[in-house]
Amino acid sequence: MKAKQMKDLVDIYHRDADLIRLVVDNLNIHTPAALYEVFAPQEARRIVQKLEFHYTPKRASWLNQVEIELSVLSRQCLERRIPDIQTLSSEVATWEKQRNLQRTSVYWRFQTTDARRKMERLYPTV
């Protein structure tokens, strides 16, 4: 998320929020310091005071699971025009309930053996 997008979160999308929690990766633009590089110090501080940064682990396979699940949600539930927020909320809740009842989980196609073969130079010989 770029500095301008963080400013928009604070000033446009969630201007009434006391605090906005961001879950971000460890990219160098996802830090409070990035705001100080783009905005005047007073403006950067104002924005930073409304943000709480939560960083994902550097090797976060759970983040991949979230991306996969959001992709499934998009394909199974959201690939059509949804007229209003109430319908959207209802549709997503129904989809989520069904997924949970089915105890659906992420199937990892990329196994450790695949990783060792594909990235042989990074793994020690066992």
Side-chain angles (χ1 to χ4, degrees), residues 14-20 50:
H14 301 287
R15 66 176 166 256
D16 295 332
D18 294 327
L19 182 67
I20 302 167
K50 300 254 319 207

Side-chain angles (χ1 to χ4, degrees), residues 3 7 12 20 39 42 44 84 98 110 120 126:
K7 182 179 184 329
I12 298 170
I20 302 167
F39 301 111
Q42 303 86 343
D84 53 51
Q98 186 63 34
F110 194 69
E120 185 177 345
V126 182

Side-chain angles (χ1 to χ4, degrees), residues 59-83:
R59 291 170 183 84
S61 63
W62 68 267
L63 185 59
N64 295 29
Q65 292 178 28
V66 171
E67 290 173 343
I68 291 167
E69 196 67 10
L70 288 173
S71 174
V72 173
L73 169 64
S74 179
R75 286 191 318 270
Q76 292 181 351
C77 183
L78 305 177
E79 278 197 336
R80 58 193 163 77
R81 175 142 170 68
I82 298 176

